Amino acid sequence: MRGEKAMIKSIYETHLEVRNLEESIMFYEKLGNKLAQKIEGRRVAFFFIGENKQMLGIWEVEKGKEFHKSHFAFGVSLHELENSIEWLKAR
């Protein structure tokens, strides 16, 4: 396998559980992400992330139900990372 190109080029889609769908939608929109679809009956929303339109799904978990914590990382330039606090405060 060494020296061969990897078949997987990126993550196309990932999903997270959230406690409040509306607050989470506002959060990701403030980060500059475009809401692609919201399915109210299922309490889920999908965002396109980045130029390649990778998908982030956020699923609301009812109060009292088990909540799975997970994480992921956005790719940003060093300059964007260094200025991220000011950028976030402006939103």
Side-chain angles (χ1 to χ4, degrees):
M1 188 101 178
R2 286 195 171 167
E4 292 181 33
K5 286 187 172 183
M7 181 182 76
I8 298 171
K9 306 293 186 236
S10 66
I11 295 176
Y12 177 72
E13 186 173 348
T14 192
H15 295 260
L16 299 174
E17 294 180 342
V18 299
R19 288 285 182 207
N20 185 303
L21 187 62
E22 281 69 31
E23 286 182 9
S24 297
I25 288 171
M26 289 189 311
F27 172 77
Y28 285 105
E29 286 179 330
K30 284 181 182 179
L31 293 179
N33 298 299
K34 181 183 175 194
L35 180 64
Q37 183 177 18
K38 179 180 176 185
I39 305 171
E40 186 62 43
R42 293 173 64 192
R43 302 297 295 154
V44 62
F46 298 96
F47 288 88
F48 288 131
I49 307 292
E51 295 175 10
N52 295 328
K53 293 193 175 180
Q54 294 157 331
M55 182 136 331
L56 170 65
I58 54 174
W59 296 76
E60 185 175 84
V61 176
E62 294 179 33
K63 288 185 179 182
K65 299 262 179 156
E66 187 176 348
F67 184 81
H68 298 98
K69 293 182 181 179
S70 56
H71 76 279
F72 63 96
F74 291 120
V76 298
S77 70
L78 178 58
H79 174 75
E80 291 167 325
L81 180 61
E82 291 172 338
N83 293 294
S84 61
I85 293 174
E86 289 79 20
W87 188 87
L88 289 167
K89 286 180 179 178
R91 277 143 185 82

